[in-house]
Amino acid sequence: MNIKNYINGSFHNPLNNEWINNFCPANGEVYGKTPNSSKEDVENAYIAAKSAFPIWSQTTLDERSRILIKISELLEANLDRFAEAESKDNGKPVSLAKSINIPRAASNFRFFGNAITQFASESHESVGQNAINYTLRQPIGVVGCISPWNLPLYLFTWKIAPALAAGNCVVAKPSEITPMTAYLLGEICNEAGLPKGVLNIVHGWGTTTGQAIVEHPDIKAISFTGGTVTGAHIARTAAPMFKKLSLELGGKNPNIIFANCDYKDMLETTVRSSFSNQGQICLCGSRIFVESTIYDKFKVDFVEKVKQLKVGHPSEHSTNIGALVSKPHLEKIMGYVEIAKNEGNKILCGGQKVTVKGFENGYYFEPTVIEAKTNDCKLNQEEIFGPIVTLMSFESEDEVLQMANDVKYGLSATLWTNDLKRTMRMSNQLQAGIVWVNTWMMRDLRTPFGGVKASGVGREGGFEALRFFTEAKNVCIKY
Ligand code: NDP
């Protein structure tokens, strides 16, 4: 099936007629083509967005809200179709796409459809000066949204929904590795009555299509989620044009386990926080630090649970671990196992490619637990973004805090303890945008989301996202 660009409310082949193969990770076969859009396609998308902006930015909040909520309802009504498409495109278990990923995409539209009706700006009375200041929060104009392959529709809509709610028009690009659900979203937007040109979706490689969006002089803001290296490149490209940038980048998140935690809950959640979505979530806790008094017990129990995870075809309901997203990604993961061995780390379980009967060319890999010798090895310092976690033991709070923070990333951290004072001390000192205590990946869409250090710049979520997608203008009136 050939995917098309969604520009000005209708579907178009790329002008250059260049196409990229779209692979199904579960069997390694090409099952469709994706446009490799050029600068000219991006320009057409921009022109459509620019023409739609005067009307969309003046559309009442009630009407914008109604349309966004309608998109959310239509996504829910098409749950099975979207979940199956996302699973086929990405390799994730269809059960995960159905229970979490697609419902979350629907929630993004519902949440920002509601949030925009509650969003308010400030006023400041200049006492003694007979003046009042008020702040306008005006939409920016045409904005660019670029998202990765791991949570394709979930992260794509996490950007698009607030951008549209705030009154902007959008030129968006999903990862060319997983374009299918973004393509299907166009149909839903038409059905929901989103005016043409308000959202435009252009497919293609990051280095061509994505680059053209970032370089476009009149696309005034870029919201990007992806790798740290790409984020740095985008920042360099955008800086001379003074674009607004929101960068959600990589992570190497610590999962810190103290002996005085609820052990059973911790163990089950740690299996999830290590291997959900084949470990391909920026928030996965890939470095597990365990207090020395329970280290040996944890090691045995954790490895036993991990060995029970079933690697299999994504459409099988018994599958826990589906296929990795692409062959190059599988090769990258296998490369890290070699690095681990060369560094003298010990593989406790996994470490091998899996052959699934009937789907021998699929990109399957065992969930892998590695006992690391030091925190400064490559395995503990580089983002792997796959089903590999490391274990290390620690003696004291200070020691684990030092190791947790001694990495270039700072996206999230998880802490398992029932000691309130320790919770407060450590939450304050962990260098991360999000700290979960006795839980993982519990999300409330009102909260600020993002990272520190090499994990990004800016925050998305809730009113933070609406602030990013608007320009504040202060008006001062003397009376
Ligand atoms: P990439 O950085 O490779 O790509 C992300 C997106 O950017 C893709 O759509 C990509 O297109 C595009 N892109 C690539 N080069 C350019 C460019 N020069 N200009 C504009 N766009 C470009 O990341 P991945 O897709 O490999 O995603 C994995 C990464 O995303 C991990 O590092 C992960 O941690 C991070 N991530 C961060 C999250 C967060 O919230 N902080 C959440 C989820 C993932 P193409 O696909 O063609 O390369």
Side-chain angles (χ1 to χ4, degrees):
M1 176 185 180
N2 282 12
I3 279 170
K4 295 184 180 214
N5 290 329
Y6 175 65
I7 298 176
N8 209 24
S10 51
F11 294 91
H12 302 268
N13 289 336
L15 291 170
N16 58 13
N17 206 27
E18 279 184 26
W19 300 86
I20 303 165
N21 285 333
N22 193 12
F23 289 88
C24 171
N27 58 21
E29 286 168 14
V30 174
Y31 81 103
K33 303 254 181 223
T34 309
N36 185 20
S37 305
S38 62
K39 252 187 166 154
E40 288 69 34
D41 299 295
V42 170
E43 184 59 24
N44 283 345
Y46 166 73
I47 291 168
K50 187 183 168 203
S51 315
F53 180 69
I55 293 183
W56 182 246
S57 57
Q58 291 305 311
T59 299
T60 62
L61 300 186
D62 262 3
E63 179 63 2
R64 277 189 227 155
S65 171
R66 192 189 61 75
I67 293 172
L68 294 188
I69 289 171
K70 184 73 189 165
I71 295 173
S72 165
E73 288 166 357
L74 288 169
L75 277 174
E76 280 165 353
N78 286 277
L79 175 67
D80 289 352
R81 184 171 170 235
F82 272 79
E84 277 153 26
E86 185 126 309
S87 167
K88 188 167 182 178
D89 224 16
N90 173 279
K92 68 179 64 201
V94 72
S95 53
L96 182 71
K98 212 177 265 191
S99 61
I100 296 179
N101 298 179
I102 304 302
R104 170 58 194 275
S107 297
N108 289 340
F109 279 107
R110 175 169 288 109
F111 175 84
F112 285 107
N114 286 317
I116 195 61
T117 67
Q118 308 296 315
F119 187 47
S121 53
E122 315 81 52
S123 75
H124 303 86
E125 188 183 1
S126 300
V127 177
Q129 294 177 292
N130 284 356
I132 180 105
N133 290 272
Y134 64 89
T135 308
L136 291 175
R137 284 264 163 200
Q138 298 180 313
I140 296 170
V142 179
V143 300
C145 299
I146 300 176
S147 57
W149 47 257
N150 64 323
L151 303 169
L153 194 65
Y154 175 135
L155 289 173
F156 194 59
T157 55
W158 179 235
K159 302 177 173 306
I160 290 169
L164 298 178
N168 301 285
C169 293
V170 173
V171 176
K173 189 195 95 66
S175 168
E176 102 291 333
I177 302 167
T178 54
M180 189 54 88
T181 42
Y183 167 61
L184 299 177
L185 180 68
E187 286 175 17
I188 296 267
C189 289
N190 285 349
E191 207 181 329
L194 187 72
K196 61 183 189 178
V198 170
L199 171 64
N200 304 276
I201 303 171
V202 199
H203 300 270
W205 293 108
T207 44
T208 51
T209 319
Q211 183 74 17
I213 295 173
V214 178
E215 278 177 357
H216 197 292
D218 297 314
I219 296 181
K220 299 263 172 50
I222 303 288
S223 171
F224 168 82
T225 298
T228 295
V229 172
T230 317
H233 174 78
I234 288 176
R236 278 194 297 275
T237 310
M241 291 176 273
F242 306 108
K243 293 188 186 210
K244 255 185 136 176
L245 277 186
S246 171
L247 302 174
E248 302 287 344
L249 310 175
K252 189 72 184 175
N253 311 307
N255 179 8
I256 303 167
I257 300 166
F258 283 93
N260 71 338
C261 67
D262 291 342
Y263 189 83
K264 191 165 168 274
D265 190 14
M266 174 279 294
L267 190 63
E268 272 164 20
T269 309
T270 296
V271 173
R272 228 167 29 85
S273 68
S274 302
F275 298 113
S276 284
N277 206 40
Q278 297 70 245
Q280 303 165 140
I281 303 181
C282 53
L283 303 164
C284 278
S286 52
R287 292 182 298 148
I288 305 175
F289 297 106
V290 187
E291 193 168 9
S292 57
T293 50
I294 58 162
Y295 183 77
D296 289 336
K297 175 175 167 49
F298 174 83
K299 188 161 83 174
V300 170
D301 294 346
F302 183 60
V303 167
E304 190 189 316
K305 283 227 174 254
V306 172
K307 281 184 174 165
Q308 286 165 11
L309 294 173
K310 187 182 160 221
V311 181
H313 192 274
S315 64
E316 287 281 333
H317 273 273
S318 57
T319 292
N320 303 113
I321 309 273
L324 297 180
V325 75
S326 68
K327 198 166 178 214
H329 196 55
L330 171 67
E331 285 162 1
K332 177 183 153 187
I333 301 300
M334 287 166 38
Y336 271 104
V337 175
E338 287 314 304
I339 290 174
K341 288 181 189 159
N342 293 338
E343 286 181 328
N345 298 311
K346 187 172 171 197
I347 297 170
L348 300 177
C349 69
Q352 300 288 330
K353 195 173 175 306
V354 177
T355 303
V356 174
K357 199 157 178 282
F359 308 98
E360 285 77 8
N361 293 325
Y363 318 134
Y364 300 95
F365 196 79
E366 288 175 326
T368 301
V369 183
I370 299 177
E371 192 167 43
K373 277 182 156 170
T374 62
N375 188 48
D376 60 9
C377 63
K378 271 192 174 186
L379 212 62
N380 266 339
Q381 292 293 318
E382 295 181 8
E383 184 184 41
I384 299 175
F385 212 56
I388 297 184
V389 292
T390 60
L391 297 192
M392 281 189 74
S393 76
F394 66 87
E395 300 292 337
S396 71
E397 197 177 301
D398 285 348
E399 182 195 5
V400 75
L401 200 53
Q402 196 274 332
M403 290 196 290
N405 288 339
D406 190 15
V407 69
K408 73 174 179 178
Y409 298 103
L411 188 55
S412 71
T414 305
L415 186 58
W416 289 94
T417 177
N418 285 328
D419 180 333
L420 180 62
K421 288 181 184 167
R422 166 175 288 154
T423 298
M424 302 302 286
R425 276 194 306 270
M426 290 199 64
S427 305
N428 284 348
Q429 292 181 76
L430 280 164
Q431 294 168 358
I434 304 145
V435 178
W436 278 296
V437 182
N438 298 333
T439 183
W440 175 73
M441 194 84 172
M442 185 177 271
R443 295 282 292 118
D444 180 325
L445 303 192
R446 294 169 300 175
T447 58
F449 180 90
V452 298
K453 303 200 284 188
S455 291
V457 175
R459 294 292 179 275
E460 298 187 342
F463 290 163
E464 297 282 346
L466 296 176
R467 287 191 195 102
F468 174 76
F469 283 116
T470 50
E471 285 286 5
K473 180 191 283 176
N474 184 68
V475 180
C476 174
I477 303 176
K478 175 121 167 67
Y479 55 85

